[in-house]
Amino acid sequence: MSGARDASPLPEDLRVFLTVIRKKSFAAAAEELGLSPAYVSKRIQILETTLGTRLLHRTTRRVALTEDGERTQRWALRILADVDELFDELSVARQTPRGLLRISSSLGFGRSHLAPALARLVELYPELNVRLELFDRVVDIVAEGIDLEILVGDDLPGQCIGRRLADNGRVLCASPAYLQRQGCPQELEDLQSHDCLVIKERDYPFGIWHLERHGQAHSVRVDGPLSSNSGEVVLAWALADRGIMLRSQWEVQPLLASGALVQVLPEYRQSANVWAVYPTRLAHSARLRACVEFLEQYLAALPVFGHDS
């Protein structure tokens, strides 16, 4: 394969190449990029022709890097980091954040608060593009090419930078009808005889609630006939008088205020602040800094957040 010696690889072709590696599939990369698989394949062919080497081994099931592909991957990461840094320097000079930000968060928080916040962000900064992906699983932001994760909970990943955006905690609550029928627990151990709505979300322990009371840690094993990996489903069950749940104050505070839910054992809570988490390579990114500072101000203005939450 002879290379085009007078040509240099295009940054966008390098981004396509890195996406194919990360997704381990031309079709999956095309879906993420919003392109056709044929176009992705064409860009990889052009990149291979430009560099004069084969970058990928392709089979019907997977793609794998050649030795030159591994070298190219290392250089592509460095080149694109330099391109991003150039955009950031120009953004600082013009005070106008620009470029693409890949952001992830959980389904519930992403839908309720992050989506409207980001819509406002791009309205303020028209040269900024945001791609929001919502998951209820652990996200490896470095491996998955995410620039910023908005995380609810204090279990932060290592080798990343975390900045607290808002105070938040999880509280125990149930519907008035459930408590009238089953009684209101007076001690933490009383939860063991109640129908607790257990959630398996992200990497949180299943069936064990870790709580704090007056600065001291407590744990209780809970159970019940209903459990789910969806916080929205658990909330619906609680409102349908099916048991006691542990959910974030940002989600249940309006329901507590209206009387639809009642807080149980109010002296107990679980710390679950809202964090911005990003790779160390983006520590000086102007567009990321603009986004994080905006989200901090946006959340502080909402009644469900604040230091008294």
Side-chain angles (χ1 to χ4, degrees):
M1 187 182 295
S2 60
R5 297 297 181 187
D6 57 344
S8 298
L10 296 174
E12 285 312 303
D13 287 348
L14 295 176
R15 292 191 194 278
V16 169
F17 171 63
L18 291 177
T19 304
V20 169
I21 296 170
R22 179 161 46 82
K23 303 299 287 188
K24 299 182 176 63
S25 160
F26 278 68
E31 183 178 0
E32 175 169 317
L33 295 168
L35 305 170
S36 70
Y39 184 77
V40 168
S41 180
K42 178 182 177 182
R43 298 319 306 177
I44 295 298
Q45 289 175 4
I46 290 173
L47 181 61
E48 289 180 327
T49 300
T50 301
L51 296 175
T53 188
R54 185 169 297 282
L55 302 175
L56 298 168
H57 295 300
R58 282 161 261 196
T59 68
T60 55
R61 292 189 174 185
R62 60 191 292 268
V63 296
L65 286 169
T66 64
E67 189 174 339
D68 282 345
E70 291 178 358
R71 294 192 185 95
T72 303
Q73 180 187 24
R74 291 193 295 270
W75 276 100
L77 289 168
R78 291 164 59 181
I79 290 167
L80 293 178
D82 286 343
V83 170
D84 289 342
E85 189 173 347
L86 170 61
F87 277 124
D88 281 333
E89 285 195 16
L90 294 175
S91 296
V92 170
R94 298 182 316 174
Q95 296 298 308
T96 307
R98 62 177 298 191
L100 174 65
L101 267 179
R102 300 172 180 86
I103 301 176
S104 70
S105 190
S106 63
L107 287 167
F109 189 81
R111 290 171 181 165
S112 298
H113 293 301
L114 193 54
L118 295 177
R120 176 62 179 148
L121 176 69
V122 297
E123 185 179 1
L124 290 175
Y125 302 116
E127 294 184 61
L128 194 63
N129 294 321
V130 170
R131 179 178 298 158
L132 175 63
E133 298 190 41
L134 303 180
F135 309 100
D136 270 338
R137 62 172 175 82
V138 177
V139 177
D140 185 338
I141 60 175
V142 175
E144 299 186 42
I146 301 295
D147 299 317
L148 173 65
E149 180 178 20
I150 306 303
L151 181 67
V152 179
D154 294 329
D155 187 14
L156 304 183
Q159 299 181 333
C160 288
I161 298 173
R163 175 168 169 175
R164 189 163 69 177
L165 297 180
D167 295 335
N168 177 61
R170 298 189 181 100
V171 297
L172 298 160
C173 48
S175 70
Y178 172 84
L179 296 174
Q180 185 176 11
R181 185 175 73 245
Q182 300 293 340
C184 189
Q186 302 300 311
E187 303 289 342
L188 191 63
E189 292 73 19
D190 294 345
L191 292 175
Q192 295 177 335
S193 61
H194 277 267
D195 292 338
C196 291
L197 302 168
V198 185
I199 183 169
K200 176 57 178 172
E201 188 177 44
R202 300 170 70 89
D203 61 340
Y204 302 127
F206 186 76
I208 301 177
W209 286 346
H210 297 290
L211 302 159
E212 294 177 3
R213 179 176 180 267
H214 305 317
Q216 291 192 338
H218 299 266
S219 296
V220 60
R221 182 171 292 278
V222 296
D223 197 7
L226 293 171
S227 62
S228 175
N229 67 340
S230 168
E232 294 178 358
V233 168
V234 165
L235 176 59
W237 283 336
L239 291 170
D241 315 325
R242 303 312 305 170
I244 298 173
M245 69 173 179
L246 178 66
R247 295 301 293 160
S248 280
Q249 283 184 279
W250 65 259
E251 187 174 31
V252 300
Q253 186 170 301
L255 297 166
L256 294 172
S258 70
L261 292 175
V262 176
Q263 191 169 348
V264 173
L265 299 171
E267 65 273 25
Y268 290 92
R269 74 192 300 271
Q270 183 184 87
S271 181
N273 298 304
V274 182
W275 294 84
V277 179
Y278 47 93
T280 53
R281 65 178 174 82
L282 293 177
H284 303 293
S285 167
R287 65 186 184 279
L288 186 139
R289 183 172 63 251
C291 178
V292 169
E293 290 177 353
F294 170 82
L295 290 175
E296 190 172 26
Q297 295 170 5
Y298 181 93
L299 294 176
L302 296 179
V304 293
F305 294 108
H307 295 288
D308 295 326
S309 292

